[in-house]
Each structure stands twice: as structure tokens, then as C-alpha cells.
Amino acid sequence: LVRPLQKKSSVFKMLRMMQFLSRINEGENLDCTFDTESELTPLESSLNVLDHLEKECIVSENCTAKIKNAIKEMAVLVCLKNAEFVKASDVLKRVFGNDPSLQKAREA
């Protein structure tokens, strides 16, 4: 028996939060992918879900800035911990590629 999903915003918010937490939970499992068309790690994928949470006005960007930075750092560290150095380099470029503070550090 399958019950239809009620179209309430609270249900969608709860599902989005569950998506976020499931990706965080699988963060150390680099073989796990949530997006079949991309090579994102679970932690990188959680950043995408967090962006959706912000857009859907569940949380403000001010509240998530520190969380996003911590997730980005952990995404790289998990790859390093698992000796996946090429993947760590790719993740670093994807998540911090547009960060102006890193660009200045590279030039120095």
C-alpha cells in the first residue's frame, strides 16, 4: 500500500533536511554517490542540498556560511584521509575554486 505524499511545505522541508543529513552521514564513504550524473562526494552533494534549503527560505545564508566552510574543508580532508590525493585535489578545486582569499594565497 502506497500513500500519496501530501503537498505541504513542511513535508518538503523535512525531506530536504533528510537529504542533507543523509549526505552528511555518508560523508566518509567516497564510494557513495547521490547524484548519478556527477562525481561529487557525499559532502559536496550536501552543499548542493544546503543551497536548496537556503533558496527555499528554511535557513538564511548568514546561518549557513560557517557550516558550508566546515563541510568544504571536511570534503577535502576525507579524501586525504583515504589517500585519494587526486580526488582531494579535484574536490579542492571544485569547492574552493572561486574563493578570492585562496587566489591571493596561491599568488603569494
Side-chain angles (χ1 to χ4, degrees):
L1 181 63
V2 177
R3 295 178 60 190
L5 184 65
Q6 295 178 354
K7 292 186 177 184
K8 292 184 180 178
S9 65
S10 62
V11 172
F12 289 116
K13 290 176 184 178
M14 184 173 46
L15 286 174
R16 190 69 76 188
M17 187 57 72
M18 290 173 66
Q19 288 175 330
F20 175 72
L21 293 174
S22 66
R23 284 158 173 77
I24 295 293
N25 187 50
E26 291 294 330
E28 291 191 25
N29 184 359
L30 296 178
D31 294 328
C32 178
T33 57
F34 288 92
D35 306 313
T36 57
E37 297 177 2
S38 70
E39 297 178 10
L40 297 179
T41 65
L43 291 174
E44 288 177 285
S45 182
S46 74
L47 291 170
N48 293 338
V49 175
L50 191 55
D51 287 339
H52 287 291
L53 286 170
E54 285 177 352
K55 289 176 187 172
E56 294 165 0
C57 300
I58 297 171
V59 291
S60 70
E61 190 174 326
N62 295 335
C63 294
T64 60
K66 288 182 181 179
I67 295 169
K68 281 184 178 182
N69 202 34
I71 292 172
K72 289 177 182 180
E73 290 174 5
M74 282 306 302
V76 176
L77 290 173
V78 165
C79 294
L80 292 173
K81 178 182 171 188
N82 290 312
E84 295 278 348
F85 303 113
V86 173
K87 188 173 242 178
S89 176
D90 293 341
V91 170
L92 182 65
K93 289 174 187 172
R94 281 194 298 262
V95 298
F96 288 111
N98 297 329
D99 191 345
S101 65
L102 288 178
Q103 295 296 333
K104 291 177 186 176
R106 288 182 193 149
E107 293 171 1

